[in-house]
Amino acid sequence: MGFEIDQKGFYGEFGGAYIPEMLYPNIRELEENYLKIIGSEQFREQFRRLLQDYAGRPTPLFRADRLSEHYGTNIYLKREDLNHTGAHKINNTIGQILMARHLGKRRIIAETGAGQHGVATATVCALTGVNCIVYMGALDVERQSPNVKKMKMLGAEVVPVHSGNKTLKDATNEAIRDWINHPVETYYIIGSVVGPHPYPDMVTRFQSVISEEIRLQLAEKTGRDFPDYLVACVGGGSNAAGAYYHYLDDERVRLISAEAAGMGVNSGQTAATSLLGRTGIIHGSRTLLMQDEDGQIQEPYSISAGLDYPGVGPLHSWLAKTGRSTVYAATDEEALQAALLCTRKEGIIPALETAHALAVLDKITPGKEETVVVNLSGRGDKDMETYINRLSL
Ligand SMILES: *Cc1c(COP(=O)(O)O)cnc(C)c1O
């Protein structure tokens, strides 16, 4: 496959493992074992069973008739919003908690921004009875109090991080610091296809159940197992990587990525990472990154907390650079209107992140006979306050 990682964990020029020496043993242990573990009969059976009976998979592929009519094409929604905890993130945390168990680790740490990954991690830690510590920027702790309360109810310890801008990037730094200090017993559950090798590849594999199901479901519904367009939003890029995975080398499928333009790509208030980013290193990975002239990481902005990460997973940098994916950016306002349209046409309130993918339907021009799959990464319950305020409901 042209879009698989190489021996050293690179997608072309992006990826790798740029980590402090203290973490070499941890990363090496994971790197040497993850493929063996994922491939083992025992792991596969445990993963399959939890995805089915706990997360609620397979998620439906729904033909959105009224949206299809509106856009004059055939639109299918992959309903990741129907997963337990309301998004695709549980696919990854189930995979990684099993990985931790197979490696004999009983102390779990995680970073979280809006709190969605923190909740998904605290959930699987409760499920398996292991200790869970979640690092979260102090500002995010304030802004996302329902998720903080959920994590606490689930038994996790939430540690507010007061350094830097007190947001996701700082929480990630703190989680890495913890890992350096407790390398032997700790497993770090990263929330997207980011971080040092082998995380991007491992998380992509856990999320690839999405495209595995799309293939079967499309074949059943349309007689053809691939779409003409496959649309997903990209924060770190895990739901997109999972939706793309089995189509990466299939050039018949146009891979469309939606980034958050915030107030506009050139407004300075944006999270359009692969459109604006330059190559740099963040959290152990070489990738496209929003940075100023001096290489200082720029604080991203988006109305959607799940998309405002200054980097993007190395796979997505490579897909964008090679032209395999086409990247569009949707503004806050476009996302809000797309969320409203989806809600009024289909009776589905999408997450604000997902709304960026839906907004891209206005920017592409699929034909009447063509098929578009949109990965509906999550549900909008968590965003109701924003919707109510911004849409004057
Ligand atoms: C976290 C989140 C995202 C962004 O994360 P990716 O790793 O880019 O998928 C997108 N949609 C929803 C609903 C999320 O919760």
Side-chain angles (χ1 to χ4, degrees):
M1 270 192 157
F3 296 100
E4 292 278 357
I5 46 161
D6 67 16
Q7 291 278 323
K8 293 190 162 151
F10 280 88
Y11 301 91
E13 65 200 78
F14 302 110
Y18 299 86
I19 50 170
E21 212 169 303
M22 296 286 291
L23 286 179
Y24 284 177
N26 288 56
I27 289 290
R28 195 171 312 122
E29 181 187 27
L30 188 59
E31 190 189 340
E32 282 171 358
N33 290 292
Y34 82 108
L35 287 177
K36 219 171 9 193
I37 291 172
I38 291 175
S40 74
E41 196 52 45
Q42 198 192 18
F43 181 96
R44 286 157 54 108
E45 178 50 28
Q46 290 168 340
F47 190 44
R48 192 199 62 77
R49 192 180 61 80
L50 285 177
L51 286 181
Q52 178 185 300
D53 298 342
Y54 189 68
R57 305 202 72 89
T59 59
L61 183 71
F62 174 65
R63 187 178 193 284
D65 287 344
R66 280 169 34 82
L67 269 185
S68 296
E69 196 189 350
H70 180 86
Y71 286 108
T73 187
N74 301 285
I75 297 173
Y76 289 82
L77 305 176
K78 180 59 173 161
R79 298 291 309 275
E80 292 302 297
D81 59 316
L82 294 178
N83 280 310
H84 181 43
T85 68
H88 65 289
K89 287 194 168 73
I90 194 83
N91 304 327
N92 171 40
T93 56
I94 288 175
Q96 289 203 56
I97 199 74
L98 291 175
M99 181 62 61
R101 181 194 285 172
H102 280 255
L103 291 171
K105 312 264 181 185
R106 298 197 49 83
R107 179 178 181 270
I108 300 297
I109 58 171
E111 85 294 342
T112 197
Q116 295 301 108
H117 173 59
V119 169
T121 302
T123 297
V124 296
C125 287
L127 174 71
T128 54
V130 297
N131 289 331
C132 180
I133 299 153
V134 179
Y135 289 93
M136 189 169 185
L139 187 63
D140 290 333
V141 170
E142 258 171 55
R143 290 191 294 194
Q144 311 288 342
S145 105
N147 277 339
V148 174
K149 286 172 187 147
K150 276 189 196 169
M151 286 184 265
K152 288 186 174 165
M153 182 162 178
L154 287 159
E157 182 189 342
V158 180
V159 181
V161 175
H162 293 278
S163 57
N165 290 297
K166 307 182 176 46
T167 58
L168 176 60
K169 172 171 60 65
D170 315 295
T172 308
N173 289 337
E174 205 53 40
I176 291 173
R177 208 162 294 145
D178 175 311
W179 204 20
I180 291 172
N181 289 330
H182 308 88
V184 179
E185 69 272 32
T186 303
Y187 183 94
Y188 179 16
I189 299 191
I190 293 185
S192 189
V193 288
V194 300
H197 172 63
Y199 279 101
D201 182 53
M202 180 173 67
V203 177
T204 297
R205 285 167 191 268
F206 292 148
Q207 292 291 359
S208 70
V209 64
I210 300 172
S211 53
E212 195 179 310
E213 289 175 7
I214 292 174
R215 262 205 319 208
L216 293 171
Q217 291 167 324
L218 261 189
E220 197 178 287
K221 286 176 203 303
T222 70
R224 210 183 67 168
D225 70 356
F226 64 94
D228 299 290
Y229 293 83
L230 182 46
V231 186
C233 63
V234 174
S238 68
N239 86 87
Y244 296 167
Y245 187 74
H246 287 92
Y247 299 112
L248 285 172
D249 285 326
D250 187 343
E251 299 274 346
R252 297 170 301 183
V253 182
R254 274 163 278 195
L255 305 179
I256 309 291
S257 303
E259 290 188 336
M263 313 281 269
V265 173
N266 298 312
S267 66
Q269 300 278 321
T270 183
T273 315
S274 40
L275 289 175
L276 293 176
R278 287 180 294 120
T279 302
I281 290 169
I282 184 169
H283 301 139
S285 177
R286 190 164 195 273
T287 194
L288 292 176
L289 184 55
M290 299 203 317
Q291 46 192 312
D292 63 21
E293 314 278 272
D294 304 326
Q296 288 293 331
I297 292 169
Q298 274 170 337
E299 194 66 14
Y301 163 80
S302 163
I303 192 171
S304 119
L307 298 185
D308 66 0
Y309 184 66
V312 61
L315 169 63
H316 293 288
S317 294
W318 186 233
L319 291 174
K321 171 113 189 190
T322 56
R324 177 66 190 98
S325 69
T326 308
V327 182
Y328 294 91
T331 62
D332 291 354
E333 194 51 40
E334 289 168 334
L336 286 163
Q337 292 308 320
L340 188 59
L341 186 72
C342 177
T343 303
R344 295 279 164 91
K345 293 276 183 202
E346 301 296 342
I348 298 170
I349 302 178
L352 263 169
E353 292 84 0
T354 314
H356 289 74
L358 292 164
V360 160
L361 292 171
D362 279 316
K363 302 173 194 278
I364 58 176
T365 50
K368 223 168 65 185
E369 306 299 326
E370 290 189 305
T371 301
V372 183
V373 170
V374 180
N375 198 35
L376 208 88
S377 57
R379 61 175 172 243
D381 307 35
K382 67 183 177 59
D383 300 311
M384 282 316 298
E385 224 181 273
T386 308
Y387 286 143
I388 289 166
N389 291 334
R390 293 290 303 265
L391 295 169
S392 312
L393 299 173

